[in-house]
Amino acid sequence: MANWTEIDQQVKTWIMEAGDSIRESFKHSLSIHTKSNPNDLVTNIDEETERFFISNIRKAYPGHSILGEEGQGDDLTSLKGIVWMIDPIDGTMNFVHQQRHFAISIGIYENGVGRLGYVYDVAHDELYYAERGNGAYMNGVRLPSLTEVRLEKALVAVNATWLVKNKYFDEKKLVDLAIRARGTRSYGSAAIELAYVASGRLDCYLSMRLSPWDFAAGKILVEEVGGIMTNLAGEELDLLKTNSIFAGAPVLHGQILNDFLVRK
C-alpha cells in the first residue's frame, strides 16, 4: 500500500529543486525546437526537467508508471496501479517569451483515481497541491470550498482562438458566453488556469483540447474544493486521451453547460 504522506513530501522536495533549476535557466539562452506545429514548442529545459522527475521516480518508486509530455515516460493503455502524469513546463510558449505564467504540473493517480495533485507556478513561487479527501492548499494555506457566482459576475478563462474558430461547438454561443460573463481571461497554461479555478481567482475554465498531463493535477485540485471537471459535453474525462475541458463550481458549470455548450 502506498505511503501517500511520504510520496507527498518527496514530490514537494523534487518540485522545489526543479523550480530552482528552472529559475536559474533564466540567466542562460534556451535551445528551442518545435513538435507538431511551429507554435508547439519544447525547450531543453522541458526535456531536462522531465528527465529529472522520471529519473527520481524510477529510483524511488520502480513499480509506478509515468505519462510525460516530452515522451520519456511509459506507453500506457490502462491506468492500473499508480500512474504519474507529468508536464515539466506547462505553458512553454509563456516560458520562452515571458518567463511568466508557466507551471510544473504533476498528478498522481491510483487505478484511475486522483490521489495527489501539484501545480507549481515557478515564477511566482506558488505551489498549489491537493490530496484526495484532505483538501487543496496553496503554499500551506487551505483553499476554501468554491462559492457559486452568477455568470454575470463570473470571470471565465477561455482561449480567444476557440471563440472565433473551432469545429466542436457553436461559435456564436461561445461568443455570447464571453459577452454575458463579467470578463474573460487567457493565461496560456492550463495547469495555472485550473489552479486559479481551485483558488477562486477564476470562476471557470474551458478548453477544446488538452492532453492528460495538462489537466491531471488540476482535476484533483478542482475536485478537492467542490468543483466539477468534465469535457464540454458534460461527460467524464478519459485520462488516457485528449479531451475538451470544462471546470467550475457545480451551479455555474451546469448553467453554462445547459445554456451555451449542449447542442439543442
Side-chain angles (χ1 to χ4, degrees):
M1 186 175 180
N3 184 332
W4 296 110
T5 299
E6 175 191 289
I7 294 173
D8 171 64
Q9 292 304 312
Q10 185 65 81
V11 176
K12 288 173 181 172
T13 299
W14 291 339
I15 285 175
M16 292 298 107
E17 185 175 342
D20 287 342
S21 295
I22 293 169
R23 282 188 291 269
E24 181 66 22
S25 77
F26 291 170
K27 303 174 184 178
H28 310 289
S29 60
L30 291 172
S31 171
I32 305 167
H33 58 275
T34 62
K35 292 188 284 188
S36 60
N37 66 68
N39 292 321
D40 191 5
L41 305 177
V42 63
T43 71
N44 56 311
I45 305 302
D46 293 74
E47 294 170 335
E48 290 169 10
T49 304
E50 182 167 290
R51 279 196 295 271
F52 167 80
F53 282 114
I54 290 178
S55 174
N56 280 296
I57 295 165
R58 298 284 194 220
K59 291 176 184 176
Y61 309 106
H64 296 185
S65 300
I66 304 169
L67 274 179
E69 180 178 17
E70 307 311 332
Q72 301 175 61
D74 301 306
D75 185 13
L76 300 181
T77 58
S78 83
L79 293 175
K80 184 177 180 181
I82 296 177
V83 178
W84 298 57
M85 300 188 188
I86 301 172
D87 194 339
I89 295 182
D90 182 72
T92 301
M93 190 177 296
N94 290 347
F95 173 64
V96 169
H97 286 272
Q98 302 174 331
Q99 296 181 341
R100 295 290 186 276
H101 300 306
F102 66 91
I104 297 170
S105 179
I106 299 175
I108 306 176
Y109 284 70
E110 182 180 35
N111 297 319
V113 176
R115 298 302 302 256
L116 297 169
Y118 307 84
V119 173
Y120 182 47
D121 182 339
V122 177
H124 294 99
D125 191 27
E126 293 181 343
L127 176 60
Y128 302 82
Y129 58 94
E131 180 179 359
R132 182 176 176 83
N134 288 322
Y137 299 78
M138 195 277 279
N139 286 355
V141 178
R142 183 162 184 153
L143 300 175
S145 297
L146 296 183
T147 56
E148 295 288 356
V149 299
R150 293 185 294 109
L151 177 58
E152 290 74 15
K153 292 187 176 182
L155 194 58
V156 176
V158 59
N159 187 319
T161 304
W162 302 130
L163 297 179
V164 297
K165 185 179 180 181
N166 76 85
K167 61 182 180 180
Y168 303 98
F169 294 91
D170 186 332
E171 295 161 9
K172 292 181 180 179
K173 283 192 174 183
L174 289 177
V175 172
D176 287 343
L177 169 61
I179 292 171
R180 284 270 306 279
R182 170 170 280 176
T184 58
R185 294 292 184 271
S186 179
Y187 293 94
S189 165
I192 285 179
E193 285 164 309
L194 289 169
Y196 281 4
V197 170
S199 62
R201 289 175 169 174
L202 291 168
D203 295 299
C204 65
Y205 170 62
L206 302 90
S207 181
M208 297 296 170
R209 188 175 62 250
L210 291 178
S211 297
W213 45 79
D214 295 317
F215 63 81
K219 184 175 187 292
I220 300 169
L221 288 168
V222 168
E223 292 177 349
E224 277 302 305
V225 292
I228 293 177
M229 192 158 148
T230 67
N231 66 18
L232 290 174
E235 301 164 340
E236 187 175 345
L237 300 175
D238 186 333
L239 289 159
L240 288 173
K241 295 181 180 179
T242 298
N243 295 253
S244 61
I245 296 293
F246 180 26
V251 174
L252 183 63
H253 183 281
Q255 179 190 359
I256 293 174
L257 187 68
N258 184 65
D259 293 348
F260 299 97
L261 300 179
V262 176
R263 292 188 181 274
K264 297 178 182 177

